[in-house]
Amino acid sequence: DFEEKYDRLALDSTQYKLLPKGGSLMIMVYYSGSWTVSMLEEGVDWAYLTEESGKGIDAFRFRYDPSEGTARTVTLKVECDNGDTADIVLTQS
């Protein structure tokens, strides 16, 4: 049996452009241990995390409301149990 191992955190991307009409996005986390994800900004009322933790290579869903015409950005932080971290910047315009 082949099992892919990731001893260090890896992501498909650290920057995403979001559609103005709103929607959701699956973001893959490549790491073999435990990890958490959180929003760095407080009081964000247009963006939502449906999962805040995971274990192993997995994805979490990020949902967002339609834009009201102004550009806006939210930053997510992924933290792994080995101390690795990464920020993901999501911009909607």
Side-chain angles (χ1 to χ4, degrees):
D1 286 327
F2 174 76
E3 183 178 338
E4 198 167 9
K5 295 265 188 192
Y6 285 87
D7 295 331
R8 308 293 302 184
L9 172 62
L11 302 166
D12 288 331
S13 180
T14 57
Q15 295 194 13
Y16 291 89
K17 291 192 185 293
L18 305 175
L19 298 172
K21 67 180 182 176
S24 67
L25 180 66
M26 293 294 290
I27 299 175
M28 286 295 302
V29 176
Y30 300 94
Y31 176 65
S32 295
S34 297
W35 49 268
T36 60
V37 60
S38 59
M39 275 189 238
L40 292 182
E41 296 85 2
E42 293 185 22
V44 175
D45 63 355
W46 59 273
Y48 317 92
L49 289 168
T50 58
E51 297 91 16
E52 295 182 353
S53 64
K55 184 169 183 165
I57 302 164
D58 202 358
F60 65 89
R61 183 176 301 278
F62 172 82
R63 293 185 312 107
Y64 57 100
D65 293 338
S67 172
E68 299 169 359
T70 58
R72 53 191 180 182
T73 299
V74 67
T75 304
L76 308 179
K77 179 176 272 311
V78 179
E79 299 180 81
C80 298
D81 62 4
N82 71 348
D84 284 359
T85 65
D87 291 349
I88 303 170
V89 179
L90 302 112
T91 303
Q92 184 183 38
S93 52

